[in-house]
Amino acid sequence: MKIELHKIKVREVIKDYKDDAEEGVIGYNGKLDIRPKYQREFVYKDKQRDAVIDTVKNGFPLNVMYWVVRDDGGYEVLDGQQRTISLAQFVNGDFSLDFNGRLATFHNLTPEEQSQILEYELMIYFCEGTDKERLDWFRIINIAGEKLTDQELRNAVYTGTWLTDAKLKFSKTNCVAYLLANDDGSLLNGSPIRQEYLESALSWINNGEIEDYMSRHQHDANADELWNYFQDVIDWVRKTFTNYRREMAGVQWGPLYNEFKEAKLDAEKLESEIKELMQDEDVTKKSGIYPYVLTRQQKYLSIRAFTDKMKREAYERQNGKCPVCKKQWDISEMEADHITPWVEGGKTNAGNCQMLCREDNRRKSDI
């Protein structure tokens, strides 16, 4: 990993500054992506923004910034986005603030005062290295300010034509992925601009190996493969689970699609079972019903646990003896168990609770 510290004046960093809602924010003579297009847009409050200008005006140290050195010779801001934008906006005349006892924009300042801003040297680290080295380093420095999400950190590493197209489809407000997944009810939690739609799609298509997929496709011309896959997943969900419920937004649909896309599923039968389970008070995680009806794995349902009162009632009823091994145990050495299993209609109540010693309970669970 190559990391070099550079001192660059404000006037150089904001040269050819341009802020476009769709195309992003650029500077440094057009070579710096201050905020790449379709990346999450941080917004400083006025107090934070003014504090940046005051720091520079007084010649105080401003926190170091980090730029990624791209393969094309350009740069991308990893850390320091809003500090850079605050300086550029002030010099551009976008806002005024109290400057030496008077309210002023940059253009109202004296030449000497303007020079205080423009000649200030920013401390900037240029970061180069392999994909893994950069990702590891970025995670280490991502400890202050507006923290980047894991997917935003990946985006800083795997830049290129593929990512540009992927962001267009998955990372813009009202992007096509968002519109598709929210037509007739939301199927995903999260926000496109927080990169959560992109992260979900990447995780689904490559079984959780997001960085592997991004590295292999980094220089592809477009992200059509990912987009087509995402459309197939959403279409399968709508056809398989025909009655929308809000709990569907909390389901990881990709793994279910990958496993069951070729299976012959009866949508009407699935809906009947889902409806019944939604009314079961012992099922505490309703979103887990959807993977359960396909996989039959109870772990998705988070079946309601016995309360301490139920456990004590069962323990006293048994006189402290395990009904399997018939030995006497302290209650702390025993575990609650359904006499009639939940899957066979047993409920989580005192009457269906028995206390087993740990060994017998584990043995029963393994059967």
Side-chain angles (χ1 to χ4, degrees):
M1 184 73 186
K2 183 180 179 182
I3 305 169
E4 291 184 344
L5 180 61
H6 293 255
K7 295 180 180 180
I8 306 177
K9 294 180 179 180
V10 169
R11 70 164 69 249
E12 297 175 52
V13 173
I14 66 172
K15 185 178 182 182
D16 293 332
Y17 165 76
K18 181 181 178 182
D19 186 346
D20 185 281
E22 292 298 309
E23 294 303 314
V25 183
I26 60 173
Y28 200 49
N29 200 28
K31 296 184 292 184
L32 174 66
D33 277 339
I34 300 172
R35 176 175 59 78
K37 58 184 177 180
Y38 310 126
Q39 181 172 309
R40 173 165 48 126
E41 196 169 343
F42 297 138
V43 179
Y44 261 4
K45 295 179 181 178
D46 291 352
K47 186 176 181 180
Q48 295 172 295
R49 179 197 65 191
D50 294 352
V52 172
I53 308 305
D54 285 338
T55 298
V56 171
K57 175 192 71 175
N58 290 304
F60 296 154
L62 196 63
N63 288 345
V64 294
M65 303 181 186
Y66 295 87
W67 292 3
V68 180
V69 180
R70 298 196 309 248
D71 293 338
D72 62 4
Y75 308 91
E76 187 170 312
V77 174
L78 173 68
D79 184 64
Q81 184 184 109
Q82 273 306 302
R83 280 164 279 162
T84 305
I85 291 176
S86 296
L87 288 165
Q89 287 179 338
F90 180 65
V91 174
N92 199 48
D94 294 348
F95 65 92
S96 60
L97 79 167
D98 185 277
F99 204 101
N100 295 336
R102 70 190 190 284
L103 190 65
T105 65
F106 181 79
H107 305 297
N108 301 135
L109 304 181
T110 66
E112 292 78 13
E113 290 171 330
Q114 290 183 352
S115 183
Q116 283 180 270
I117 303 295
L118 296 175
E119 295 300 310
Y120 182 91
E121 290 185 331
L122 298 168
M123 309 293 283
I124 302 170
Y125 281 110
F126 285 14
C127 305
E128 296 181 78
T130 65
D131 292 340
K132 184 181 186 306
E133 287 173 336
R134 287 192 293 172
L135 191 56
D136 289 344
W137 175 247
F138 296 160
R139 282 174 173 152
I140 290 171
I141 67 171
N142 187 36
I143 57 176
E146 293 279 5
K147 290 187 177 182
L148 299 177
T149 66
D150 286 342
Q151 189 55 44
E152 286 168 331
L153 289 170
R154 297 184 190 106
N155 290 354
V157 172
Y158 301 106
T159 58
T161 51
W162 177 89
L163 182 60
T164 297
D165 191 50
K167 286 182 178 179
L168 175 63
K169 291 177 169 69
F170 291 92
S171 304
K172 178 186 175 186
T173 301
N174 291 324
C175 60
V176 289
Y178 177 83
L179 294 175
L180 179 66
N182 286 270
D183 186 25
D184 291 330
S186 175
L187 293 180
L188 273 80
N189 286 325
S191 162
I193 60 174
R194 289 281 297 182
Q195 310 303 315
E196 288 162 312
Y197 273 58
L198 177 58
E199 185 173 44
S200 291
L202 287 167
S203 179
W204 293 353
I205 197 173
N206 206 42
N207 299 314
E209 299 294 329
I210 296 176
E211 289 147 32
D212 171 71
Y213 187 90
M214 293 184 74
S215 66
R216 287 190 287 108
H217 294 273
Q218 182 175 5
H219 301 295
D220 288 0
N222 56 58
D224 287 352
E225 179 185 83
L226 182 65
W227 169 234
N228 291 334
Y229 168 83
F230 187 78
Q231 291 180 88
D232 289 342
V233 173
I234 300 302
D235 181 62
W236 175 83
V237 174
R238 299 291 188 197
K239 290 178 179 177
T240 304
F241 303 102
T242 53
N243 184 20
Y244 177 78
R245 295 178 176 84
R246 60 183 177 82
E247 288 84 2
M248 293 172 71
V251 177
Q252 287 297 314
W253 294 113
L256 297 177
Y257 167 79
N258 296 342
E259 183 176 354
F260 296 99
K261 61 183 176 182
E262 303 297 337
K264 293 182 179 179
L265 302 171
D266 187 331
E268 187 175 340
K269 185 177 179 181
L270 287 173
E271 169 57 23
S272 177
E273 184 177 8
I274 291 168
K275 187 173 184 178
E276 183 178 347
L277 289 169
M278 284 289 175
Q279 301 173 68
D280 191 330
E281 62 181 9
D282 284 347
V283 176
T284 63
K285 188 177 181 181
K286 301 301 185 184
S287 63
I289 291 173
Y290 293 92
Y292 171 75
V293 297
L294 296 178
T295 67
R296 316 316 297 182
Q297 295 183 38
Q298 288 186 36
K299 65 179 183 179
Y300 291 109
L301 300 176
S302 295
I303 298 301
R304 185 163 63 97
F306 291 104
T307 65
D308 289 342
K309 183 178 179 182
M310 294 175 188
K311 295 176 185 178
R312 173 57 70 175
E313 183 177 330
Y315 180 79
E316 296 299 335
R317 186 172 63 241
Q318 298 168 202
N319 294 316
K321 292 183 179 180
C322 171
V324 178
C325 67
K326 310 302 182 182
K327 294 180 181 179
Q328 190 87 24
W329 300 90
D330 184 79
I331 191 170
S332 64
E333 300 171 310
M334 305 182 82
E335 297 174 343
D337 173 65
H338 288 78
I339 298 172
T340 301
W342 172 86
V343 71
E344 296 177 12
K347 296 298 181 181
T348 306
N349 55 39
N352 194 41
C353 179
Q354 64 180 350
M355 298 298 288
L356 304 181
C357 67
R358 291 195 183 101
E359 184 177 344
D360 284 323
N361 190 45
R362 306 292 166 78
R363 187 181 295 115
K364 179 181 178 182
S365 299
D366 291 338
I367 296 176

